[in-house]
């Protein structure tokens, strides 16, 4: 059975950054990714544009050149793929971790394909795999999706978009411009304040002119094959509907963290326990990196402010090996 100084679970930008740093510092390492390279970014909408500028998405000071100041999804995929290829990173793709057990000798890691031993483990799995469900009748219908890819699919359809953040607003605008009859369903009183500053005026203007219908302070009570029942402050209404995009955010895999023995805060934030100087959790040799550090506060950590986790983690591991 292969043994490493470090196994990194997750082949996103921060997992790749950890692999680069481990390689530079002479550690034996392996990155395990259940999908393709930067799998979460691959599953972003095809036309997605980042909020951050390209230099803020760079890892290990490797230049990221994009056509515009704020790169598109396809440019980011190419950037991170080239980093993996040109640096010959030790990464296993489409290999899902099924279990991790700790012992005095380190960790045993089982996947759907193999088993490994490692002195240390980094969890850099992000939060994009588990949607925040609406938990309403009819959510399991085929017309309901929690991920959005391409606006063409919704052309000439009555589409309800649930949410008020960047993903929901981007989807609403793109689908409207491809001919969908778009209705926005927003739980709060307005479009989210964290919506990209160049996008927010666009959606507000489309709502004000009536091109996109918006219901504020509204939730879905029931999803039916051809209708939605909405709960408004003044009561319930029924609207015609062909498809629902429930873009209400995502969450880390908390059960996976708890199985590893990582302590979570008892409040709704579910913040994992870790040392902010080393990123080591309450489990010796087990580290966190990237957005998973924020628990339910998924907007607190992103690529540009969690790039620093990689050198912090590798420095701590090296110090213990000295």
């Amino acid at each position: 059975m292969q043994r490493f100084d470090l196994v990194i679970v997750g082949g996103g930008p921060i997992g790749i950054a950890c692999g680069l740093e481990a390689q530079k510092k002479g550690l034996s390492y392996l990155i395990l990714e259940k999908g393709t390279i930067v799998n979460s970014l691959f599953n972003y909408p095809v036309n997605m544009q980042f909020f951050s500028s390209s230099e803020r998405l760079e890892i290990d000071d490797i230049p990221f050149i994009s056509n515009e100041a704020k790169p598109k999804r396809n440019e980011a995929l190419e950037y991170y793929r080239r980093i993996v290829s040109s640096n010959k990173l030790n990464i296993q793709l489409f290999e899902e971790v099924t279990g991790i057990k700790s012992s005095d000798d380190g960790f045993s890691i089982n996947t759907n394909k193999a088993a490994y031993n490692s002195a240390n483990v980094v969890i850099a799995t992000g939060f994009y795999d588990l949607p925040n469900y609406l938990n309403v009748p009819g959510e399991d219908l085929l017309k309901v999706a929690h991920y959005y890819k391409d606006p063409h699919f919704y052309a000439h359809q009555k589409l309800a978009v649930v949410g008020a953040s960047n993903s929901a607003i981007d989807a609403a605008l793109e689908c409207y411009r491809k001919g969908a009859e778009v209705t926005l369903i927003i739980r709060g009183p307005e479009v989210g304040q964290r919506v990209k500053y160049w996008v927010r005026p666009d959606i507000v203007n489309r709502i004000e002119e009536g091109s996109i219908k918006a219901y504020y302070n509204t939730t879905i009570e029931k999803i039916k094959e051809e209708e939605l029942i909405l709960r408004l402050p003044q009561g319930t209404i029924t609207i015609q509907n062909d498809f629902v995009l429930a873009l209400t955010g995502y969450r880390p895999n908390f059960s996976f963290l708890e199985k590893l023995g990582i302590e979570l805060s008892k409040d709704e934030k579910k913040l994992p326990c870790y040392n902010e100087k080393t990123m080591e959790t309450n489990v010796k040799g087990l580290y966190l990196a990237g957005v998973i550090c924020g628990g339910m506060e998924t907007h607190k950590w992103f690529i540009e402010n969690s790039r620093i986790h990689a050198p912090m983690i590798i420095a701590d591991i090296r110090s213990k090996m000295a």
Side-chain angles (χ1 to χ4, degrees), residues 14 146 186 212 257 276 311:
I14 305 305
H146 295 88
I186 297 175
I212 293 176
L257 296 183
E276 294 184 359

Side-chain angles (χ1 to χ4, degrees), residues 80-308:
Y80 295 115
R81 183 191 66 80
R82 290 292 299 272
I83 287 177
V84 170
S85 300
S86 61
N87 289 279
K88 297 180 172 59
L89 293 186
N90 188 20
I91 184 170
Q92 290 292 106
L93 300 173
F94 299 98
E95 184 164 349
E96 183 174 4
V97 172
T98 56
I100 299 176
K101 292 184 178 180
S102 62
S103 67
D104 294 338
D105 191 39
F107 298 87
S108 58
I109 301 100
N110 291 306
T111 75
N112 59 335
K113 295 182 179 179
Y116 309 94
N117 284 328
S118 181
N120 303 278
V121 171
V122 171
I123 306 298
T125 50
F127 68 94
Y128 197 57
D129 290 333
L130 298 175
N132 291 322
Y133 291 105
L134 302 174
N135 295 315
V136 299
E139 191 172 8
D140 58 343
L141 292 175
L142 293 178
K143 65 185 277 187
V144 182
H146 295 88
Y147 294 89
Y148 163 68
K149 197 72 173 179
D150 194 314
H152 176 84
F153 182 82
Y154 300 103
H156 302 293
Q157 299 297 294
K158 292 180 174 61
L159 172 66
V161 179
V162 187
S165 62
N166 279 298
S167 57
I169 300 309
D170 283 345
L173 286 168
E174 285 189 6
C175 292
Y176 153 69
R177 293 196 164 100
K178 292 298 183 181
E181 183 182 322
V182 177
T183 299
L184 261 174
I185 300 169
I186 297 175
R187 183 174 57 182
E190 61 178 353
V191 172
Q193 288 295 326
R194 288 197 295 269
V195 170
K196 289 172 280 195
Y197 65 83
W198 66 92
V199 173
R200 200 172 192 278
D202 189 2
I203 188 65
V204 170
N205 288 335
R206 301 293 74 74
I207 292 170
E208 289 182 351
E209 72 184 13
S211 298
I212 293 176
K213 175 69 175 178
Y215 291 99
Y216 298 107
N217 300 306
T218 298
T219 57
I220 293 180
E221 191 167 279
K222 187 175 184 179
I223 302 171
K224 303 171 73 173
E225 287 287 357
E226 298 180 355
E227 297 174 329
L228 294 181
I229 299 176
L230 306 182
R231 170 68 63 178
L232 284 65
Q234 60 269 34
T236 61
I237 64 169
T238 299
I239 64 171
Q240 296 298 303
N241 172 259
D242 298 311
F243 290 98
V244 176
L245 271 174
L247 302 178
T248 51
Y250 308 91
R251 62 174 60 208
N253 191 336
F254 293 118
S255 63
F256 178 62
L257 296 183
E258 289 175 322
K259 286 178 182 177
L260 298 179
I262 298 174
E263 297 174 359
L264 304 178
S265 65
K266 302 302 182 183
D267 57 19
E268 69 277 2
K269 295 180 181 180
K270 292 185 176 292
L271 298 172
C273 175
Y274 65 91
N275 185 322
E276 294 184 359
K277 294 182 179 179
T278 66
M279 308 308 295
E280 188 175 27
T281 69
N282 56 284
V283 179
K284 183 181 178 182
L286 182 60
Y287 297 81
L288 297 181
V291 297
I292 198 169
C293 299
M296 285 299 294
E297 295 184 312
T298 53
H299 62 282
K300 290 291 184 68
W301 291 101
F302 30 91
I303 298 172
E304 65 182 71
N305 69 350
S306 58
R307 298 176 295 180
I308 61 171

Side-chain angles (χ1 to χ4, degrees), residues 15-76:
I16 291 171
C18 290
L20 281 169
E21 190 69 16
Q23 187 165 280
K24 285 198 306 179
K25 300 302 183 185
L27 300 182
S28 63
Y29 73 94
L30 173 65
I31 303 171
L32 295 171
E33 168 54 57
K34 72 175 184 179
T36 188
I37 299 169
V38 292
N39 192 65
S40 291
L41 300 191
F42 174 76
N43 287 309
Y44 281 0
V46 292
N47 300 318
M48 195 274 288
Q49 185 172 30
F50 285 86
F51 189 93
S52 303
S53 56
S54 57
E55 69 270 13
R56 291 181 175 271
L57 300 176
E58 293 173 355
I59 55 177
D60 199 40
D61 295 323
I62 299 170
F64 183 175
I65 309 301
S66 57
N67 290 327
E68 302 176 45
K70 300 178 187 301
K72 301 288 184 65
R73 164 189 171 273
N74 64 318
E75 294 174 310

